[in-house]
């Protein structure tokens, strides 16, 4: 397997479109690295430059210590899996998976071993004699992944490989991919715009926007310590709530206030706010739906005007407004609440985040 290194990689297309700017990243051997971000942020372009399908405008790509900028795709020893799985319709599953090995003149016995092993890993051994038209969407995608696996490349590059599948299959395949990653000990670089896929699959996540890396970190770190409001809002579902608040000093303590609500912040938070000269200024309060609770003290209390209650079974999502800000709270199903009512909910003040109004940077970033 392989480690990769991208140094100041940039891509400007012929029409002047800048797709990737100063991309710097070291990808360790056996990492499951996720590139995530909104549509058009440069994920596919980055992956295609690694694969050699797109020329690197400037910067360096290193694979296992070798400069690869000018190496043709076939010599990079990487396997790519795309969103639309291109299977040969007239070939069986077995022949589809064997195809890339045949053209490389790999011996028959070796081909057979590799195909059967990959089929086993992917649980498609019983489908080897079928043609693609007799497969479901999920099965076809497994075959496409199988074709990548048999090549035993240095690393796998995957561009939204699950986005054509329905929700249930996607969940299944997500689990499968995690297993495959463990079983093969493979280096994977995986592009998605789906933050749930990113959180569940990645050993590390790179969040991109407008062609640049905003933050690269382990899923848990991204979730609890996002670098700015964009990352905080992109990761997590339902999204983090953002409420514009005033920072004030009351009763010798620091609090954030907005439309008759007052939350007292903890010491660490107060220290950062004072150091950053935020007293008397406005900031965004960031709080995740699951960090709003049914009970608490006056210091944490918020008045939520409930608009809609979504019952999910094990929990409810209350959507409504606090002041003029839309807010969602994830609460226990027995919490008494109906649309049109005002209820008290309580913020876990150890979990709140605060963002600068102008720069949108996380004031509490560690
Ligand atoms: N061949 C191309 N020529 C010009 N612009 C392109 C080309 N391919 C992609 N782009 C532009 O580059 C940006 C990044 O695209 P892409 O990497 O496909 O984004 P993502 O995969 O994150 O959705 C977009 O603005 C897109 O329109
Ligand atoms: Mg893309």
């Amino acid at each position: 397997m392989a480690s990769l290194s991208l140094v100041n990689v940039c891509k400007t297309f012929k029409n002047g479109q800048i797709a990737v700017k100063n991309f710097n990243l070291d990808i360790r051997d056996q990492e499951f690295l996720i590139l995530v971000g909104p549509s058009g942020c440069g994920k596919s372009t980055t992956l295609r430059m690694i694969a050699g399908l797109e020329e690197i405008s400037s910067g360096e790509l290193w694979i296992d210590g070798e400069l690869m900028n000018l190496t043709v795709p076939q010599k990079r020893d990487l396997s790519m899996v795309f969103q639309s799985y291109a299977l040969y319709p007239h070939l069986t599953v077995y022949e589809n998976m064997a195809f890339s090995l045949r053209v490389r003149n790999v011996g028959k016995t070796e081909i057979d071993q590799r195909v059967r092993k990959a089929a086993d890993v992917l649980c498609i051994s019983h489908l080897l004699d079928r043609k693609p038209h007799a497969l479901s969407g999920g099965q076809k995608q497994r075959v496409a992944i199988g074709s990548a696996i048999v090549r035993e490349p240095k690393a796998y590059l995957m561009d939204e490989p699950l986005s054509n599948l329905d929700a249930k299959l996607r969940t299944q395949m997500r689990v499968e991919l995690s297993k495959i990653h463990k079983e093969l000990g493979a280096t994977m670089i995986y592009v998605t715009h789906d933050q749930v896929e990113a959180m569940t699959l990645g050993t590390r996540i790179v969040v991109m926007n407008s062609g640049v890396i905003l933050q690269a970190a382990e899923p848990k770190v991204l979730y609890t310590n996002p670098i700015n409001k964009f990352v905080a809002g992109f990761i997590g579902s339902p999204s983090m709530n953002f409420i514009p608040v005033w920072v004030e000093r009351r009763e010798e303590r620091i609090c954030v206030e907005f439309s008759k609500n007052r939350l007292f912040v903890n010491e660490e938070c107060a220290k950062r706010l004072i150091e950053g000269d935020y007293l008397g200024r406005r900031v965004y309060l960031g709080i995740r739906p699951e960090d709003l609770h049914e009970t608490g003290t006056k210091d944490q209390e918020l008045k939520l005007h409930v608009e809609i209650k979504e019952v999910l079974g094990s929990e409810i999502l209350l959507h409504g407004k606090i002041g003029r800000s839309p807010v969602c709270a994830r609460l226990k199903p027995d919490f008494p609440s109906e649309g049109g009512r005002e209820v008290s909910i309580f913020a876990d003040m150890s979990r709140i985040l605060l963002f600068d109004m102008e720069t949108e940077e996380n004031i509490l970033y560690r």
Side-chain angles (χ1 to χ4, degrees), residues 1-4 29-30 63-64 73-81 100-101 104 114 145-158 180 184-188:
M1 285 296 149
S3 55
L4 290 89
D29 188 29
Q30 304 201 0
I63 301 178
D64 279 342
Q74 299 80 352
K75 297 238 165 93
R76 295 190 188 195
D77 199 10
L78 308 168
S79 272
M80 185 128 170
V81 181
S100 69
L101 299 178
R104 281 178 180 73
R114 289 207 208 170
I145 294 168
S147 306
I149 289 179
V150 292
R151 287 179 43 198
E152 300 178 2
K154 283 192 164 166
Y156 297 89
L157 311 179
M158 302 197 179
I180 292 168
L184 299 177
T187 307
M188 294 206 182

Side-chain angles (χ1 to χ4, degrees), residues 13 15 17 19 38-45:
F13 285 105
N15 64 2
Q17 171 80 40
S39 178
C41 72
K43 306 179 296 291
S44 294
T45 305

Side-chain angles (χ1 to χ4, degrees), residues 253-264:
R253 294 167 67 194
I254 306 298
C255 62
V256 292
E257 294 184 343
F258 59 107
S259 53
K260 295 187 198 135
N261 293 277
R262 177 181 292 171
L263 297 172
F264 285 92

Side-chain angles (χ1 to χ4, degrees), residues 261-280:
N261 293 277
R262 177 181 292 171
L263 297 172
F264 285 92
V265 304
N266 66 20
E267 264 177 51
E268 165 69 13
C269 218
K271 193 167 146 251
R272 293 286 188 111
L273 286 170
I274 292 166
E275 279 171 5
D277 206 15
Y278 285 102
L279 268 187

